């Protein structure tokens, strides 16, 4: 694959842009692969990428029922932070955040990582105590966060109203190196790098069944025929439960819709990410000038990629009370994604009861930020059978009651 560079842009400009290569190929599936990954979202693609990069395993197919990045990876509000409470979470989310810092260079693809700072507002005394506790835990974990005062909040976000009608702003948990990245570019960058290593990304290829012999996975049935494999990774977010059922086991997951909306583009008004979890809304401004706004998760299980209408009203109300200047802003688009939620709001990266079959799911409302760290750990788990990054997130924790409770850090009301 030819490298992207400033020189390449000049070269192609001089020859009418006729020399660009396709970023990834669209091959027909082979009869079998060493590894098959189901789901070409960020986590599936990153898993494949680090299998190749860190372990030299490149006879890999990534099967996608729709188009790559068309699931939650292309539907999220792109917030990246690692301010979680428990040690195993801080380890995997901070690994991901630190990989994001150099991901564009690593992939030779601009993922537009913007470490502009993420702020989680504290609007009740309970939240103040909780975030102060998180800041202390983060200090011990080597994650750079601090609890900041209302006046510092106002300095960083001049458009905010500190004395709102319901909940005043009492401070915030601030992570200066948190931020955003372009979500599609993360999927595209990993896809291009995987294709460059000779891996097959097969789109429009739905997995409809999972084959096994003597308790060990042997392949999958798909809308493009049967494909054999030695190891299988199920990385299908909201549809993980459906795939697990095909493999003959159940996962402790609920699938619900989570939604987001964007406004018309406006001039720059806010250069950090703000999450207001008590009134419930979170917002950042995209490079195009749109306000990117996230709402709550549906209170009932479903597979619609829409989200309930009342969340739009609740989210917009929360934002208007926090940022009154937004009251006449017009909204342009709204959409939803199906998120896979566990009881402790932590992911599952694990072996399964079917030998050779692994799962990477349960990222719920917060897995975009984790993509590089999750791929790194999942690749190690699939290649070596264990990984320090994924150990605490195995399925065994549900049997043994070793939950990694992150219901506060999840930041989104469930
Ligand atoms: P996906 O990107 O959903 O990929 C899974 C893929 O599997 C899909 O493309 C799907 O088509 C495919 N698939 C499913 N079944 C099959 C099958 N049978 N055969 C073949 N392919 C199949 N996280 C953050 O960190 N920050 C945020 O700001 C944030 N905001 C969010 C806002 C919204 C509205 C939503 C919906 C989510 C948000 N998230 C956020 C969560 C984040 O988007 C997800 O956790 C993450 O993208 C999950 O990535 P994934 O690769 O596991 O799943
Ligand atoms: O996990 O930071 C997050 C998040 C923000 C919006 C949705 N999830």
């Amino acid at each position: 694959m030819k490298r992207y560079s400033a020189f390449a842009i000049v070269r192609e400009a001089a020859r009418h842009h006729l020399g660009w290569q396709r970023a990834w190929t669209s091959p027909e599936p082979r009869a079998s692969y060493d590894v098959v990954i189901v789901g070409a979202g960020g986590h599936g693609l990153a898993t494949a990428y680090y299998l190749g990069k860190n372990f030299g395993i490149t006879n890999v197919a990534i099967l996608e029922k729709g188009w790559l990045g068309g699931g939650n990876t292309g539907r999220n509000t792109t917030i990246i932070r690692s301010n979680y409470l428990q040690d195993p979470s801080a380890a995997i989310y901070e690994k991901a955040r630190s990989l994001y810092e150099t991901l564009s260079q690593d992939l030779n693809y601009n993922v537009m990582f913007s470490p502009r700072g993420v702020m989680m507002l504290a609007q009740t005394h309970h939240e103040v105590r909780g975030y102060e506790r998180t800041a202390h835990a983060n200090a011990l974990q080597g994650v750079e966060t601090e609890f900041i005062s209302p006046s510092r909040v106002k300095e960083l976000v001049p458009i905010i109203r500190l004395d709102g009608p319901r909940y005043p702003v009492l401070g915030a948990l601030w992570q200066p190196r948190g931020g955003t990245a372009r979500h599609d570019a993360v999927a595209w960058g990993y896809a291009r790098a995987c294709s460059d290593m000779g891996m097959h990304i097969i789109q429009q290829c739905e997995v409809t069944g999972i084959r096994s012999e003597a308790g060990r996975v042997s392949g999958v049935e798909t809308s493009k025929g049967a494909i054999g494999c030695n190891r299988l990774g199920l990385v299908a977010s909201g549809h993980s439960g459906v795939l697990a059922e095909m493999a003959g086991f159940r996962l402790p997951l609920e699938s619900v819709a989570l939604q987001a909306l964007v406004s018309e583009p406006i001039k720059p008004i806010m250069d950090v990410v703000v999450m207001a979890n008590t009134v419930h809304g979170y917002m950042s401004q995209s490079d195009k000038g749109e306000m990117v706004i996230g709402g709550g998760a549906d209170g009932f299980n479903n597979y619609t990629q829409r989200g309930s209408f009342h969340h739009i009203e609740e989210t917009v109300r929360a934002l208007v009370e926090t940022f009154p200047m937004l009251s006449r802003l017009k909204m342009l688009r709204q959409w939803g994604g199906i998120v896979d939620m566990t009881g402790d709001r932590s992911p599952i990266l694990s072996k399964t009861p079917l030998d050779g079959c692994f799962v990477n799911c349960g990222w719920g409302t917060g897995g975009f930020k984790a993509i590089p760290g999750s791929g790194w750990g999942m690749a190690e788990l699939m290649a070596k059978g264990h990984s320090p990054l994924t150990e605490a997130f195995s399925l065994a924790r549900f049997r043994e009651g070793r939950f990694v409770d992150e219901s506060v850090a999840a930041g989104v009301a469930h």
Side-chain angles (χ1 to χ4, degrees):
M1 187 82 71
K2 285 185 197 156
R3 281 189 67 74
Y4 290 158
S5 64
F7 172 73
I9 294 172
V10 175
R11 184 191 62 217
E12 291 309 324
R15 57 181 188 190
H16 306 287
H17 293 283
L18 294 174
W20 294 114
Q21 295 170 311
R22 283 194 177 278
W24 50 83
T25 56
S26 292
E28 286 305 310
R30 283 201 283 266
S32 74
Y33 297 86
D34 289 341
V35 174
V36 163
I37 305 283
V38 184
H43 289 266
L45 290 162
T47 300
Y49 173 70
Y50 293 111
L51 273 171
K53 181 179 161 146
N54 294 350
F55 301 99
I57 300 172
T58 55
N59 184 13
V60 176
I62 305 119
L63 310 182
E64 168 55 52
K65 73 173 176 177
W67 66 97
L68 74 87
N72 294 341
T73 298
R75 291 165 186 270
N76 63 70
T77 46
T78 77
I79 299 174
I80 296 171
R81 57 188 175 86
S82 56
N83 54 355
Y84 282 68
L85 179 65
Q86 312 290 351
D87 291 349
S89 323
I92 197 163
Y93 288 107
E94 179 57 15
K95 172 79 184 170
R97 200 206 57 76
S98 66
L99 288 169
Y100 264 121
E101 295 260 5
T102 51
L103 196 59
S104 297
Q105 291 82 352
D106 185 22
L107 298 177
N108 180 227
Y109 200 99
N110 187 3
V111 302
M112 296 167 71
F113 176 57
S114 163
R116 59 184 69 180
V118 173
M119 179 184 291
M120 293 171 97
L121 300 181
Q123 294 183 278
T124 64
H125 292 291
H126 180 71
E127 264 184 319
V128 171
R129 279 198 297 274
Y131 288 152
E132 281 177 344
R133 182 180 176 213
T134 302
H136 292 313
N138 288 166
L140 294 171
Q141 292 152 346
V143 176
E144 190 194 349
T145 63
E146 66 177 304
F147 189 80
I148 57 173
S149 66
S151 57
R152 178 84 178 116
V153 169
K154 186 76 182 168
E155 227 174 84
L156 288 162
V157 192
I159 63 165
I160 205 166
R161 177 175 181 185
L162 293 177
D163 58 347
R166 292 191 296 161
Y167 297 96
V169 175
L170 303 172
L173 181 63
W174 170 238
Q175 182 165 26
R177 294 298 293 177
T180 58
R182 167 110 196 251
H183 47 15
D184 310 298
V186 172
W188 298 337
Y190 276 120
R192 177 169 172 268
C194 287
S195 190
D196 193 32
M197 285 190 276
M199 296 180 183
H200 283 184
I201 302 167
I202 303 167
Q203 303 183 72
Q204 307 291 322
C205 179
E206 179 169 5
V207 171
T208 52
I210 294 176
R211 293 182 167 186
S212 61
E213 279 162 30
R216 189 176 168 84
V217 74
S218 58
V220 290
E221 285 154 28
T222 80
S223 50
K224 295 196 176 191
I227 301 174
C229 66
N230 296 325
R231 273 166 288 181
L232 177 67
L234 306 179
V235 197
S237 68
H239 291 83
S240 299
V242 179
L243 282 149
E245 206 174 325
M246 292 178 200
F249 57 89
R250 296 186 69 197
L251 289 171
L253 287 177
E254 291 189 65
S255 291
V256 302
L258 177 70
Q259 63 180 296
L261 46 154
V262 292
S263 74
E264 59 189 332
I266 52 174
K267 287 190 174 163
I269 57 163
M270 196 177 83
D271 61 2
V272 302
V273 180
V274 177
M275 300 180 69
N277 302 330
T278 292
V279 293
H280 208 271
Y282 36 95
M283 188 170 81
S284 64
Q285 187 164 21
S286 75
D287 293 348
K288 275 191 286 183
E290 300 161 331
M291 301 313 291
V292 180
I293 296 168
D298 278 357
F300 56 96
N301 296 353
N302 68 88
Y303 287 97
T304 68
Q305 287 182 316
R306 281 194 306 272
S308 300
F309 191 70
H310 69 93
H311 278 305
I312 302 174
E313 193 183 352
E314 285 164 9
T315 303
V316 168
R317 188 169 55 208
L319 288 173
V320 169
E321 79 180 64
T322 316
F323 307 99
M325 70 169 293
L326 297 184
S327 64
R328 280 176 296 145
L329 193 64
K330 293 186 183 61
M331 295 300 144
L332 284 191
R333 300 190 299 281
Q334 175 273 358
W335 66 89
I338 307 304
V339 297
D340 43 342
M341 310 231 276
T342 57
D344 61 0
R345 307 303 183 226
S346 282
I348 303 171
L349 295 110
S350 184
K351 295 179 182 174
T352 70
L354 180 61
D355 210 13
C357 174
F358 300 79
V359 283
N360 178 348
C361 61
W363 291 100
T365 59
F368 175 69
K369 66 175 83 63
I371 284 171
S374 151
W376 187 285
M378 181 72 175
E380 189 172 27
L381 177 67
M382 291 187 76
K384 297 188 356 195
H386 56 88
S387 162
L389 275 182
T390 65
E391 209 171 314
F393 301 114
S394 79
L395 278 167
R397 80 176 188 272
F398 297 99
R399 267 198 316 275
E400 297 162 6
R402 289 184 290 102
F403 302 115
V404 187
D405 188 347
E406 290 291 4
S407 32
V408 173
V412 176
H414 307 107

